[in-house]
Amino acid sequence: MAEGLKLEQRHGKSRVRVARVWRNAVSGKDLIVEWNVAISLVTDCLPAFTSGNNSSIVATDSMKNTVYVKAKECSEVVSVEEFAIILAKHFTSLYPQVATATITIVEKPWERLVLALQPHSHGFKAGSEKHTVELTLQKNGAVTLTSGIEGLAVLKTTQSGFEGFVRDKYTILPDTKERILATEVTTKWRYAFEWLSDIPPKPFCFNQRYQEVKEVLLETFFGAPQVGVYSPSVQNTLYLMAKAILNKFLDITAVHLRMPNLHFLPVNLSTKDNPSMVKFADDVYTPTDEPHGTIEATVTRSLSKL
């Protein structure tokens, strides 16, 4: 409290971009990661706001430099989650006035280049979807850890429909059992860890879990390679994807999915000279991404929250 007023504050540094290369002398293969880091600290620095006394402020430039120093200190390969833990532990332990640290990181996907069926030793190409993490660590060790995927673009040319929805005077969309289903999946999942001490040391591998979650999402969306699986709506497919993750990974307590419906509209043509509609039989479409449907939901185990 200050002068009868309640003050809630935090400060930090955003868009700190850092790349780290690990060079393996045994395999001869380099590995690179590129991270976009954001740091947010809750600190006991009330005088900075009320009287201009900056003696308790951790400079945001120091936060930026810390990212580079800690990346350098990681002599072994670390996941984006592990790096977030390293940063959060640093800020909450080094500075007595820091009560809580929130670290958010987005990893840019760099994939090893394959030429003539051979993985290149130091060549990489840009991937698509991004690995994300948000970690909040309190000084007493309480933790929330949420990982995610951004921009997982998927499409299937059949085995999708949409019918039986509300019809009124504004409705022109016909029912259909045959349409393209395309979306760009953004998901985040919260781990069950409540305390820093709950997070298992290696060999628990966050990168492996990331790949496993992605595989479950894809398997549920597409179905078996030869037969697929029918989707009656984006809503139903989204729920089944989240449910599959919770059923397979007991250390995940909640899953949030956002799946915009990126429409592919069947092309039908008519002209003044030929007023009869020329109908294309589900083979020629106009791709659109604006406007698009927006569908999102959170599926949570009982007594859990995301």
Side-chain angles (χ1 to χ4, degrees), residues 103-118:
I103 310 297
T104 305
I105 308 178
V106 178
E107 179 173 328
K108 182 175 180 177
W110 287 106
E111 300 173 352
R112 189 174 301 279
L113 187 67
V114 177
L115 292 176
L117 303 181
Q118 294 294 319

Side-chain angles (χ1 to χ4, degrees), residues 25-43:
V26 177
S27 68
K29 290 183 178 179
D30 292 350
L31 178 65
I32 187 171
V33 294
E34 181 181 339
W35 294 325
N36 193 321
V37 181
I39 302 158
S40 180
L41 305 181
V42 176
T43 64

